[in-house]
Amino acid sequence: MQFSSKVIEQAVDTFAQLPGVGKKTALRYVLHLIKQDDTEQLAQIIKQLKTDLKFCDKCHNISESTSCEICTNPVRDQTLLCVVQDYRDVMAIENTGLYKGLYHVLGGLISPMEGVGPGHLNIETLNTRMAEGVIKEVILALNATMEGETTSFYIYRKLAPHNVNLSAIARGIAVGDELEYADEATLGRSITNRQPFSAFFTVK
Amino acid sequence: MQFSSKVIEQAVDTFAQLPGVGKKTALRYVLHLIKQDDTEQLAQIIKQLKTDLKFCDKCHNISESTSCEICTNPVRDQTLLCVVQDYRDVMAIENTGLYKGLYHVLGGLISPMEGVGPGHLNIETLNTRMAEGVIKEVILALNATMEGETTSFYIYRKLAPHNVNLSAIARGIAVGDELEYADEATLGRSITNRQPFSAFFTVK
């Protein structure tokens, strides 16, 4: 792609660094912004992302201070820890309104294909938190993908020395799904891990 | 979607104003930017889009000054004008290297569905340019869609009083395409508007 203006070229190159954005999409964004009366707000909020947001020292979640609202909330169960991949998963679980423990955000999943090893993730600090001895149960809430399962297994091995209940979120047929369209692996696991029918009516 | 932080919520809302970007994609961009060391460049270039770029007074193309490089280039044919929808089309035609005339950028297409009427486009200034009497030929290079054809027809009627050759870019089978996969409308037009075989070897 050849541009008549250096500014447009630079802008397209910069926008194309966003995840999943190619040069065509970047140009679409740039042309949209050129037509807008006020682009100050976008520039301002991008700066604020760096200045106003921090990572929580304890759980590594994104927060407006170095101790996040969840970690500092005295009402939350300090003995229960949920291990997730990133901020989006914290958001998703918080939106269910069914979890009252703390979180630990890994910041990614082990993926040799993408060059992400255990050392790139917040696993060492998880180990440190466990060593403090307050946490009694750890729930692994990672994606049901190859990378998610690998990471879960790595953490399972890593936390073995600690005296802690380790569980993983249930895999099975999604609520609202029809059996005939479920894949074999999911259906197989949902049969193997069948639950007492009464469990469906109790919210812990 | 509920966010734990006001800043993230604002950032997501702002990014979601970009064309084709929903809240999920906006959040993906925001989380990507939070992880970056340097986001200053993006904020800076967004500001520059407003300060450094202008619309050419004559052809309405995006330019670094109020007279664009194409309009002020003495080598370009001042009697030939190509009417296009936006900057992307100027870029596409310039990249062919086969056009040496001037442009007129409409800034959109007539689309009653999207509430875009002739008054929203740079058609009146096109009329003014024609009245100056320098331009001898106008090429309509608009999309082969309902909106493009409507706009072409509107301009055709509008320019009728001026003594000018009005043409439209050829519609037909794209170079490299196979006949059996072409739609009937395109194939039909390519037969009706068949060209002397010798024309394929002459570049005007």
Side-chain angles (χ1 to χ4, degrees):
Chain A
M1 250 194 244
Q2 280 194 314
F3 302 98
S4 62
S5 153
K6 270 271 164 237
V7 181
I8 294 182
E9 188 171 350
Q10 271 181 20
V12 167
D13 286 345
T14 314
F15 269 100
Q17 288 169 16
L18 291 173
V21 177
K23 292 220 172 180
K24 285 239 170 192
T25 308
L27 180 60
R28 198 170 161 212
Y29 294 168
V30 169
L31 292 178
H32 171 85
L33 289 173
I34 292 174
K35 280 188 195 163
Q36 297 307 299
D37 294 326
D38 181 26
T39 56
E40 183 57 40
Q41 198 194 355
L42 182 58
Q44 183 56 38
I45 201 82
I46 289 169
K47 283 190 181 173
Q48 261 179 282
L49 289 181
K50 287 318 276 183
T51 53
D52 294 9
L53 292 181
K54 289 154 186 70
F55 290 98
C56 174
D57 286 340
K58 217 170 151 192
C59 72
H60 308 288
N61 193 16
I62 298 165
S63 160
E64 292 183 15
S65 68
T66 50
S67 302
C68 78
E69 282 180 13
I70 296 173
C71 285
T72 53
N73 186 344
V75 178
R76 313 260 333 186
D77 185 348
Q78 308 285 323
T79 67
L80 187 58
L81 190 76
C82 182
V83 176
V84 294
Q85 180 184 348
D86 70 11
Y87 171 78
R88 273 171 288 201
D89 302 324
V90 174
M91 226 175 74
I93 295 175
E94 282 299 289
N95 285 348
T96 68
L98 289 174
Y99 179 71
K100 295 294 167 210
L102 306 178
Y103 291 94
H104 191 85
V105 179
L106 295 178
L109 295 174
I110 296 172
S111 169
M113 293 278 283
E114 291 172 32
V116 182
H120 298 96
L121 309 176
N122 302 317
I123 294 180
E124 214 38 69
T125 50
L126 174 62
N127 216 358
T128 319
R129 284 180 88 173
M130 301 314 300
E132 291 168 3
V134 180
I135 292 153
K136 298 277 173 271
E137 183 178 353
V138 171
I139 304 171
L140 297 172
L142 302 178
N143 290 345
T145 56
M146 178 78 88
E147 290 78 13
E149 305 274 301
T150 308
T151 313
S152 291
F153 190 70
Y154 183 89
I155 293 174
Y156 164 71
R157 293 283 294 269
K158 196 83 184 172
L159 300 189
H162 303 289
N163 181 24
V164 68
N165 282 321
L166 195 70
S167 59
I169 51 167
R171 314 288 191 207
I173 306 294
V175 176
D177 261 13
E178 296 181 32
L179 282 206
E180 61 172 318
Y181 300 115
D183 64 291
E184 290 162 20
T186 302
L187 194 53
R189 276 182 85 158
S190 77
I191 292 172
T192 318
N193 304 328
R194 62 193 176 278
Q195 295 161 283
F197 191 63
S198 58
F200 288 99
F201 304 106
T202 14
V203 172
K204 284 173 198 165
Chain B
M1 246 194 246
Q2 280 194 314
F3 302 97
S4 63
S5 153
K6 270 271 163 236
V7 181
I8 296 183
E9 188 171 348
Q10 271 180 20
V12 167
D13 287 345
T14 313
F15 270 100
Q17 288 169 17
L18 290 173
V21 177
K23 291 220 171 181
K24 286 237 169 192
T25 309
L27 180 59
R28 200 170 160 213
Y29 294 166
V30 169
L31 293 178
H32 171 85
L33 289 173
I34 292 173
K35 280 187 194 161
Q36 298 306 300
D37 294 327
D38 180 27
T39 57
E40 183 57 40
Q41 198 194 353
L42 182 58
Q44 183 56 39
I45 200 82
I46 289 170
K47 281 190 182 174
Q48 261 179 281
L49 290 181
K50 286 318 273 184
T51 53
D52 295 9
L53 292 181
K54 290 155 187 68
F55 290 97
C56 174
D57 286 340
K58 217 170 150 191
C59 72
H60 308 290
N61 193 15
I62 298 164
S63 160
E64 292 182 15
S65 69
T66 49
S67 301
C68 78
E69 283 180 12
I70 296 173
C71 286
T72 53
N73 185 343
V75 179
R76 314 260 331 186
D77 186 348
Q78 309 284 323
T79 66
L80 187 59
L81 189 77
C82 182
V83 176
V84 294
Q85 180 184 349
D86 69 13
Y87 171 78
R88 274 173 287 202
D89 302 324
V90 174
M91 227 174 73
I93 295 175
E94 282 300 288
N95 285 346
T96 68
L98 290 174
Y99 180 71
K100 296 295 168 209
L102 305 179
Y103 291 94
H104 191 85
V105 179
L106 295 178
L109 294 174
I110 296 172
S111 168
M113 292 279 282
E114 292 172 30
V116 182
H120 298 96
L121 309 176
N122 302 316
I123 294 179
E124 214 37 69
T125 50
L126 174 62
N127 216 358
T128 318
R129 284 181 89 174
M130 300 314 301
E132 291 168 6
V134 182
I135 291 153
K136 298 277 174 268
E137 184 179 352
V138 172
I139 304 171
L140 296 171
L142 302 177
N143 291 343
T145 56
M146 178 77 88
E147 289 79 13
E149 306 274 302
T150 307
T151 313
S152 290
F153 191 69
Y154 183 87
I155 294 173
Y156 164 70
R157 293 284 292 268
K158 196 83 182 172
L159 300 190
H162 303 290
N163 181 23
V164 67
N165 281 321
L166 196 70
S167 60
I169 52 167
R171 314 289 192 205
I173 306 295
V175 177
D177 260 14
E178 296 182 32
L179 282 206
E180 61 172 318
Y181 299 116
D183 63 290
E184 290 162 21
T186 303
L187 193 54
R189 276 181 86 158
S190 75
I191 292 173
T192 317
N193 304 329
R194 63 192 175 278
Q195 295 160 281
F197 191 63
S198 57
F200 289 100
F201 305 105
T202 14
V203 172
K204 285 175 197 166

